[in-house]
Amino acid sequence: YLAERNFAEADKALAQLQTLKLESAMIPTLAADLAVAEGRPADAARICHAAAPLYPTRKSLVYCEAEAWLAAGDAVHALAAVEPHLRAISQDYRLYVLQAKANTALGRDAQAHRAQAEVYVLQGDLAGAVDQLQLAQRDGGGNFMEQASIDARLRELRQRVRDEMDAKKDKDDRNER
């Protein structure tokens, strides 16, 4: 029903599903999808936020909440949804993507580039990450601590790129012998 944009029937089907009292994060996610489709993204964000403590291992609810806040034009709440999880699970590139989008929406370009750099790191693209951090550095936005953090991360990634290039060169030299 949702795919057909038949919201009245989708609401009925969702209500029937909710009466089953199933223990599944899928149900609030479906409710949020329906709310977004009906043009109520802030309601969708609240649905996902309320369900997240019930299903703490389901990051889909965090993504759902942040994406809904972004759709509602509320990047501040989107950041608030993802940032605690970034401190706990720094290997989740989707959280960094959402952080980058929220920072972009807030006009915080340096922070957006920093978040996008972490996406690239997690995807194995160190050169892309270095490029993003250089953009963040040139942007100069943020406070002294943020800039110092960007500078330190840039030095770290440049060293990793050099180390990888040296390792590749050593391997190539061994293969030539």
Side-chain angles (χ1 to χ4, degrees), residues 60 82 87 97 163-164:
S60 59
V82 299
R87 287 189 287 276
V97 167
D163 292 347
E164 284 184 6

Side-chain angles (χ1 to χ4, degrees), residues 17-173:
L17 188 59
Q18 290 169 327
T19 63
L20 299 176
K21 305 283 188 216
L22 300 173
E23 298 278 329
S24 173
M26 178 187 72
I27 296 170
T29 303
L30 287 171
D33 288 345
L34 180 57
V36 168
E38 291 175 332
R40 301 179 293 112
D43 289 343
R46 286 187 277 277
I47 290 167
C48 293
H49 181 79
L54 303 173
Y55 307 99
T57 61
R58 302 300 304 190
K59 294 303 168 222
S60 59
L61 291 167
V62 176
Y63 309 145
C64 169
E65 179 184 356
E67 288 166 354
W69 283 126
L70 287 170
D74 191 340
V76 170
H77 276 96
L79 276 177
V82 299
E83 287 185 340
H85 299 281
L86 283 170
R87 287 189 287 276
I89 307 171
S90 62
Q91 299 300 309
D92 190 334
Y93 81 93
R94 287 186 65 186
L95 292 174
Y96 285 109
V97 167
L98 291 165
Q99 184 185 45
K101 287 180 181 180
N103 278 314
T104 297
L106 292 170
R108 298 172 55 189
D109 294 335
Q111 294 85 347
H113 289 301
R114 168 71 193 262
Q116 189 61 45
E118 296 306 324
V119 171
Y120 288 144
V121 167
L122 292 170
Q123 293 175 336
D125 181 2
L126 294 182
V130 166
D131 289 344
Q132 286 297 313
L133 289 172
Q134 288 172 335
L135 289 170
Q137 199 176 48
R138 278 195 292 272
D139 182 66
N143 62 34
F144 173 77
M145 292 300 291
E146 289 171 332
Q147 281 301 308
S149 174
I150 289 167
D151 295 345
R153 187 66 166 144
L154 181 56
R155 282 191 303 278
E156 176 190 344
L157 292 181
R158 282 178 173 157
Q159 184 59 51
R160 283 180 58 185
V161 168
R162 282 191 295 273
D163 292 347
E164 284 184 6
M165 290 176 63
D166 290 346
K168 183 181 181 319
K169 185 178 181 303
D170 289 346
K171 182 180 175 188
D172 290 347
D173 289 346

